[in-house]
Amino acid sequence: MQLRYKPFELLLKYPFSISGFTRTSTPLMLLEIECEGQIGYGEASMVPYHGESVATATAFLSKVKLDWLKLPFDFDELIAYLDELAPGNPNIKAAIDIALHDLQGKLEGKPCYTYFGSDPEQMPATSITIGMDTPEVILQKVKDAELAKILKVKLGGEADKLLIETIRSVSNKPLFVDANQGWKDRIQASEMIHWLHEQDVLLIEQPMDKNNWDDNAWVSEQSPIPILGDESIQRLADVEKAKGVYQGINIKLMKSAGMYEAYKMIQRARELDLKILIGCMSETSCATLAGAALAPLCDWADLDGPFLTKNNPFPNPDFKDGKWVLADRPGLGLA
Ligand code: MG
């Protein structure tokens, strides 16, 4: 089994602003794992606030040996092995997990979604994100997102109501709202949530600081809209903590260390009666299709990487009626 990797700078169409910071590109590590003439593709999207970088990913990959793996790959054993090599590093672990799922699908002639009992017909619509900006740019972004049936709006700044009103002046599509921990006072947060309820908002992510479990729970309790933990909920062990605090969780492959643990998180969330949004970072078609393979098991999807970036090195997957189309091809289905 041969492991190859190269850094890649993924450029964003617009400088991306959320509560707290702005950036114009995202460093990726693109992976190939080759075995018996087949190549599995994987990707780590190393958003700066996760603390991973090309240097940390390279250091981690230099320790990885995969020759012990036998088909069908034992992903429980793989995750345990990767976690033993070093704690943390969920993004580069996700890249390895994604590449191995793609490879296994190709070696066995099966689409990845079949490993999770995921039904392509149950694919939820994916939102396209409108980052914080001036009203003029917001209107342009809404226009750019015309293929989406749902828009996702980043709030948590000074001009939250203006931003929503700007969108509502040109679009009545339902909205997801992501506050990215930006609301600081729970009473103001609750008032904002009730106002958003009148604006056809379907869910709200991470209203308050990820470590402030009490205020997030209080806000959830008052809310007429499902409140989801995102920054609070990283890997499988965190799903338990969401119960009684949030109505749901945002699962991302770059937090969960890949598809396999994301699947375990989906199963545990269902047992705990939690709603599920499957989200993403700035990603190419590769990680987007990995997320899409699990999306039919979730309530909502926010897998908009290819719409927000301008140098995706892979062809865009098929997108129809606001939804990704899972191809009946072995592996992830990258064209
Ligand atoms: Mg979020």
Side-chain angles (χ1 to χ4, degrees):
M1 210 174 271
Q2 270 191 309
L3 172 65
R4 296 185 289 270
Y5 46 91
K6 60 165 191 245
F8 184 89
E9 196 69 21
L10 188 62
L11 305 177
L12 307 178
K13 279 186 189 159
Y14 292 96
F16 191 71
S17 295
I18 60 166
S19 177
F21 77 108
T22 298
R23 66 176 199 275
T24 55
S25 67
T26 304
L28 306 185
M29 190 65 98
L30 298 178
L31 243 63
E32 293 182 8
I33 302 178
E34 184 168 354
C35 180
E36 294 170 20
Q38 297 287 351
I39 298 174
Y41 294 91
E43 163 184 6
S45 170
M46 297 173 294
V47 290
Y49 53 88
H50 265 200
E52 286 181 67
S53 63
V54 168
T56 64
T58 305
F60 186 83
L61 289 168
S62 72
K63 293 187 253 181
V64 173
K65 305 269 179 290
L66 298 172
D67 285 325
W68 55 274
L69 280 166
K70 300 271 174 287
L71 272 180
F73 302 143
D74 183 333
F75 284 95
D76 270 318
E77 218 175 320
L78 175 79
I79 296 296
Y81 164 73
L82 296 177
D83 282 342
E84 213 162 278
L85 281 183
N89 298 278
N91 303 50
I92 196 63
K93 289 174 184 172
I96 296 166
D97 165 285
I98 293 168
L100 286 171
H101 276 92
D102 190 34
L103 178 63
Q104 172 164 294
K106 286 169 174 166
L107 290 170
E108 297 189 330
K110 292 179 186 166
C112 283
Y113 60 82
T114 62
Y115 293 118
F116 308 106
S118 196
D119 176 2
E121 297 296 315
Q122 302 299 315
M123 180 65 74
T126 199
S127 58
I128 295 182
T129 298
I130 310 293
M132 286 176 172
D133 230 308
T134 59
E136 296 70 38
V137 181
I138 292 287
L139 291 175
Q140 184 57 44
K141 287 180 177 178
V142 171
K143 208 180 235 180
D144 287 355
E146 64 183 350
L147 287 178
K149 304 280 188 202
I150 303 171
L151 301 176
K152 173 162 155 174
V153 188
K154 297 287 196 178
L155 298 186
E158 295 302 307
D160 287 352
K161 284 190 180 176
L162 173 64
L163 207 157
I164 296 286
E165 284 162 353
T166 303
I167 291 172
R168 280 288 170 256
S169 72
V170 291
S171 169
N172 55 13
K173 289 177 182 175
L175 304 176
F176 296 163
V177 160
D178 191 350
N180 286 112
Q181 316 179 68
W183 295 333
K184 303 302 177 201
D185 176 280
R186 70 182 190 177
I187 294 171
Q188 284 173 9
S190 187
E191 282 168 6
M192 177 60 84
I193 289 166
H194 282 84
W195 183 80
L196 290 169
H197 182 49
E198 311 290 306
Q199 306 290 328
D200 196 15
V201 169
L202 303 181
L203 61 86
I204 296 177
E205 288 177 48
Q206 203 62 62
M208 306 194 66
D209 187 286
K210 63 182 178 182
N211 296 313
N212 189 343
W213 297 86
D214 287 347
D215 280 354
N216 279 303
W218 186 87
V219 164
S220 293
E221 178 83 31
Q222 313 288 318
S223 174
I225 312 172
I227 303 292
L228 275 52
D230 180 3
E231 287 87 340
S232 289
I233 309 297
Q234 302 283 322
R235 294 193 59 177
L236 178 60
D238 299 320
V239 180
E240 310 294 323
K241 300 184 212 159
K243 186 70 188 168
V245 177
Y246 301 104
Q247 281 92 13
I249 59 174
N250 182 345
I251 296 176
K252 295 175 183 163
L253 303 187
M254 296 300 143
K255 297 190 296 180
S256 69
M259 300 171 78
Y260 182 73
E261 190 158 316
Y263 175 62
K264 305 279 268 194
M265 292 176 76
I266 290 168
Q267 289 179 309
R268 189 64 191 127
R270 289 300 183 210
E271 286 166 6
L272 294 169
D273 202 23
L274 291 164
K275 297 272 192 193
I276 306 164
L277 168 69
I278 187 153
C280 66
M281 306 297 182
S282 306
E283 293 169 3
T284 75
S285 300
C286 178
T288 300
L289 281 170
L294 292 160
L297 306 173
C298 304
D299 299 289
W300 306 288
D302 172 36
L303 300 171
D304 56 2
F307 290 106
L308 304 182
T309 54
K310 55 184 183 187
N311 60 339
N312 185 353
F314 301 100
N316 275 3
D318 289 337
F319 192 78
K320 208 174 147 215
D321 298 331
K323 302 171 183 182
W324 293 114
V325 178
L326 290 173
D328 186 17
R329 281 196 292 272
L332 293 171
L334 273 171

